[in-house]
Amino acid sequence: MIKRLILLFLLLSFFCAGQEIGQAATKNRAYWEAKGDIVWDVKTNDKVIALTFDDGPDPRYTRQILDLLEKHKAKGTFFVMGHKAQKNPTLIKEMHQKGHEIANHTYHHPQLRTITASDLRKEIRDTDNVIHSLTGKYPTLFRPPGGVYDDKVVNAAKAQHHLVVMWSWTQDTKDWKNPGVQRIVNKVCNNAKPGNIVLFHDAGGNREQTVQAVKIILDKLSKEGYQFITVSQLLPYKDKKVSTKTPK
């Protein structure tokens, strides 16, 4: 009798574990996109692209990127870290005044697989408060460090009324590795499609290659008819079929 109970317990444990694994396996990109909780890119026929920059601001490189964007009348989305934003209030205010989007990238850039849900919510909340104190607006977008996404991350972002924003799978420049200016340029330009969200970094190391690549990319894709808008400006395009309207 005892052996039968043990066997039954093991079978039930195995079945439940299998269910949990199956449920976890379904929570891939398709699952989260269907729920509308995470965005990687937007399907559209309009030649619009969102350039995004993580880990800043950094006075050395963010300033140069802002100048390049202004030259091309382009808008960018900056996923800033709270403690760096607090140290560089002038840059944050300038981004806001020039119409760029300031989004949340946590306060300290923690390891999301080990941080508690409570601590993650605090990281997001503290960064929101810094951005609000400098711009008068709370951010609406959140990008998790390392591109980690799961229930904990999504729920923490939603608790702060944020949409999780990733990047197009073909548009991870890996510029943090300093692979060379031309490789960054080729990655973006050779894979450019309407509705792309491109991942760059404007801090966290030497970003001279990123700055030089952004200059070339802006020149090249502008000539191909692309316009550079913020992620929040890009999102409404998913509800359009075909449009020729120029983004404001």
Side-chain angles (χ1 to χ4, degrees):
M1 181 66 179
I2 295 175
K3 288 183 178 180
R4 289 181 179 178
L5 288 173
I6 292 173
L7 180 60
L8 179 61
F9 175 78
L10 290 174
L11 287 172
L12 286 171
S13 298
F14 179 78
F15 175 75
C16 292
Q19 275 196 320
E20 290 177 1
I21 291 170
Q23 289 170 357
T26 64
K27 293 185 178 180
N28 53 17
R29 173 172 174 170
Y31 170 85
W32 292 113
E33 281 186 321
K35 286 195 68 178
D37 289 334
I38 306 179
V39 172
W40 278 264
D41 46 36
V42 171
K43 292 181 180 179
T44 178
N45 293 322
D46 294 87
K47 299 186 81 170
V48 288
I49 285 180
L51 304 183
T52 68
F53 303 88
D54 287 10
D55 295 352
D58 184 304
R60 295 164 294 178
Y61 307 113
T62 306
R63 160 66 53 207
Q64 297 178 65
I65 290 169
L66 287 173
D67 290 344
L68 289 171
L69 293 172
E70 184 173 16
K71 179 181 176 182
H72 287 83
K73 297 181 179 179
K75 303 301 179 187
T77 301
F78 293 83
F79 288 88
V80 305
M81 295 168 58
H83 80 95
K84 291 185 179 180
Q86 203 160 33
K87 291 178 181 177
N88 297 280
T90 302
L91 276 174
I92 295 295
K93 290 177 181 178
E94 183 177 343
M95 288 177 193
H96 177 64
Q97 290 168 356
K98 291 187 174 179
H100 302 295
E101 183 160 22
I102 303 169
N104 193 314
H105 197 47
T106 70
Y107 196 86
H108 293 108
H109 206 278
Q111 293 289 331
L112 296 191
R113 297 198 186 280
T114 58
I115 192 174
T116 67
S118 176
D119 285 343
L120 176 55
R121 289 194 299 271
K122 186 177 187 303
E123 286 272 339
I124 297 172
R125 184 170 60 250
D126 288 350
T127 302
D128 280 353
N129 290 337
V130 170
I131 294 171
H132 180 264
S133 71
L134 297 173
T135 67
K137 291 183 65 176
Y138 286 105
T140 59
L141 307 178
F142 173 69
R143 175 171 287 164
V148 174
Y149 61 92
D150 55 21
D151 285 297
K152 179 176 69 176
V153 171
V154 171
N155 290 337
K158 290 174 73 174
Q160 304 298 130
H161 309 291
H162 291 353
L163 173 68
V164 177
V165 176
M166 304 297 281
W167 53 85
S168 303
W169 281 352
T170 59
Q171 292 292 7
D172 181 356
T173 64
K174 299 189 186 299
D175 58 339
W176 56 275
K177 291 184 177 181
N178 286 318
V181 174
Q182 197 56 51
R183 288 190 68 177
I184 298 172
V185 171
N186 290 345
K187 182 68 173 179
V188 177
C189 293
N190 292 348
N191 294 291
K193 291 183 179 178
N196 276 169
I197 297 175
V198 185
L199 173 62
F200 296 105
H201 296 79
D202 60 327
N206 186 323
R207 296 291 169 256
E208 287 296 340
Q209 290 186 9
T210 300
V211 173
Q212 294 176 45
V214 168
K215 181 181 185 301
I216 298 170
I217 290 165
L218 287 168
D219 286 336
K220 182 175 176 58
L221 293 185
S222 292
K223 291 175 182 175
E224 294 180 14
Y226 280 97
Q227 293 177 292
F228 305 95
I229 60 179
T230 68
V231 171
S232 286
Q233 289 173 328
L234 180 66
L235 292 176
Y237 280 79
K238 69 182 178 182
D239 299 321
K240 299 180 181 180
K241 293 181 180 180
V242 178
S243 172
T244 57
K245 183 178 178 181
T246 301
K248 296 181 180 179

